[in-house]
Amino acid sequence: MILVATASGPVEGENAIVFGPVPSRRLGRSLGINNIPAKTCSYSCVYCQLGRTTQLITKRTPFYEPERILARIHEKVRQCRAKGQAIDYLTFVPDGEPTLDVNLGKEIEMLRPMGLRVAVLTNASLIDRADVREDLAKADLVSLKVDAASEPFWHRVNRPHRSLSLLGILGGMRDFSRSFKGELISETMLIDGVNDSEEEISRIAEFLKDLELRTAYIPIPTRPPAEKSARAPSEQVINLACQVMSTSLGRDRVEYLIGFEGDTFASTGDVETDLLAITSVHPMRREAVEHLLKNANADWDVVKRLIEERKLIEIQHEGHAFYMRRIRSRN
Ligand code: SF4
């Protein structure tokens, strides 16, 4: 799993076990834990920023000694605290799939005395196993990858190990969602022409509706992917995905991630900055933009200028105008 941030590229060895902290919209300042050697995964996603999977496996295995991982984290946390750097989450976000590590649950338990929240970003491919659900249940926050809800799209986007079953995975996510006491989020990476049809997005939204999600995120590839052909969809498609998912889940539970991690939601008092911050996460309807401008004693010229500067884009959807921050990777 890769989405909050990773060590720079596929690297091996103890030095790469801990990295960061890095800013993340979802997790604040996140200290990354790389508990899997590159690139060991049960998927070989077309968009993976670590390249193609070299060890495509589903067998849970011990990789690094949990005590060594813990020692590296202790050292890094001590360094951060000495520099006054805050850490909001210790996040398992390795160069592969974190639940392949058979010691994941033990490692989370060993981190507990540090008093920091623990997150796991998983592709959820092993979540039909009770032992994996038990390990994930120990975390404070779990992120599930749901890039597809039907077999053909799942194969095209995630290229799973042949022993995996999508039905089992979706069922495992439902079971986990019912029992998990922490915060659950999901990530649906949209790839141009691969899993971004309205039908598949609707199926994904229907599935997500049954999960107890805090937020369903819609990221797009913003870093070089495993396959050059894996590109971000257009702003129109992302807006459509947001509208479809918002209809199922509620607007407040859907956010896109288009390469502006770390932007703040807090009003800055500067209408241009606020408009760009909001539209980097949600599309805004024209009426909402007008309301924002009115409250700031500003006029529509702000929007016109941002469109001219290619920072904002206007999209028509079902008779309404929406405004979105322009995607950098498509410029
Ligand atoms: S789940 Fe996909 S994106 Fe995550 S590490 Fe595996 S191949 Fe890469």
Side-chain angles (χ1 to χ4, degrees):
M1 292 296 300
I2 54 171
L3 294 174
V4 166
T6 68
S8 53
V11 281
E12 297 256 6
E14 196 172 339
N15 285 341
I17 285 176
V18 186
F19 59 93
V22 290
S24 156
R25 265 203 58 77
R26 289 153 290 178
L27 302 171
R29 288 179 62 79
S30 159
L31 192 69
I33 304 169
N34 190 6
N35 63 324
I36 301 281
K39 190 198 146 191
T40 306
C41 195
S42 45
Y43 282 176
S44 186
C45 303
V46 289
Y47 58 78
C48 186
Q49 68 186 51
L50 305 167
R52 290 183 188 165
T53 298
T54 49
Q55 303 294 318
L56 186 68
I57 61 168
T58 54
K59 188 174 177 335
R60 302 194 82 198
T61 309
F63 292 101
Y64 306 121
E65 286 289 328
E67 290 75 14
R68 287 172 70 192
I69 294 180
L70 190 75
R72 297 287 292 121
I73 296 169
H74 264 295
E75 189 189 328
K76 190 75 181 182
V77 170
R78 191 180 48 72
Q79 287 170 0
C80 289
R81 285 180 172 156
K83 288 185 205 157
Q85 291 178 335
I87 298 170
D88 298 308
Y89 273 96
L90 300 173
T91 306
F92 286 83
V93 54
D95 292 345
E97 168 48 33
T99 61
L100 284 169
D101 178 2
V102 76
N103 290 316
L104 177 65
K106 181 178 175 186
E107 287 154 11
I108 295 173
E109 277 172 5
M110 289 168 79
L111 294 174
R112 280 282 159 237
M114 299 181 78
L116 290 165
R117 287 169 68 77
V118 177
V120 183
L121 309 195
T122 172
N123 69 17
S125 60
L126 307 182
I127 203 165
D128 57 336
R129 295 175 53 142
D131 60 333
V132 169
R133 291 196 297 275
E134 278 164 27
D135 283 359
L136 290 174
K138 294 177 177 151
D140 299 292
L141 181 146
V142 171
S143 173
L144 304 173
K145 181 187 289 301
V146 189
D147 295 335
S150 59
E151 288 268 346
F153 294 97
W154 179 54
H155 281 281
R156 283 174 67 190
V157 68
N158 298 130
R159 301 190 295 194
H161 187 280
R162 59 186 155 72
S163 67
L164 294 171
S165 141
L166 180 62
L167 271 185
I169 292 169
L170 297 179
M173 285 197 251
R174 276 192 210 98
D175 289 348
F176 182 69
S177 169
R178 277 196 278 271
S179 60
F180 185 47
K181 302 280 186 287
E183 282 191 272
L184 195 62
I185 62 176
S186 67
E187 289 177 6
T188 299
M189 178 77 87
L190 289 182
I191 305 297
D192 188 27
V194 177
N195 63 340
D196 64 345
S197 69
E198 187 168 356
E199 296 73 25
E200 187 60 10
I201 292 167
S202 300
R203 278 190 286 265
I204 294 169
E206 273 306 291
F207 170 73
L208 294 179
K209 196 168 76 176
D210 282 347
L211 304 184
E212 297 290 328
L213 293 176
R214 183 198 76 193
T215 309
Y217 290 99
I218 307 172
I220 57 164
T222 52
R223 299 189 183 114
E227 308 302 334
K228 277 201 182 115
S229 57
R231 294 189 71 229
S234 64
E235 284 92 350
Q236 283 81 355
V237 169
I238 295 167
N239 179 50
L240 174 75
C242 254
Q243 305 304 333
V244 170
M245 287 208 189
S246 297
T247 303
S248 291
L249 300 164
R251 185 182 179 276
D252 291 346
R253 291 204 295 151
V254 180
E255 290 186 14
Y256 48 66
L257 300 168
I258 53 175
F260 299 95
E261 293 261 325
D263 277 352
T264 175
F265 252 147
S267 172
T268 62
D270 175 57
V271 71
E272 183 174 320
T273 306
D274 290 347
L275 190 56
L276 289 175
I278 297 169
T279 56
S280 66
V281 180
H282 291 292
M284 280 180 90
R285 265 174 69 155
R286 185 181 176 106
E287 296 79 357
V289 176
E290 285 170 346
H291 187 68
L292 186 81
L293 294 171
K294 190 171 165 217
N295 282 350
N297 289 323
D299 59 29
W300 198 254
D301 286 348
V302 175
V303 175
K304 276 193 199 153
R305 195 180 62 255
L306 290 174
I307 290 174
E308 275 165 24
E309 290 171 356
R310 297 176 61 77
K311 291 179 180 166
L312 207 63
I313 185 167
E314 181 184 291
I315 297 161
Q316 295 296 327
H317 177 73
E318 296 188 344
H320 296 284
F322 288 86
Y323 296 85
M324 249 184 93
R325 191 149 176 182
R326 188 180 279 274
I327 299 171
R328 277 187 192 135
S329 58
R330 289 187 70 90
N331 280 340

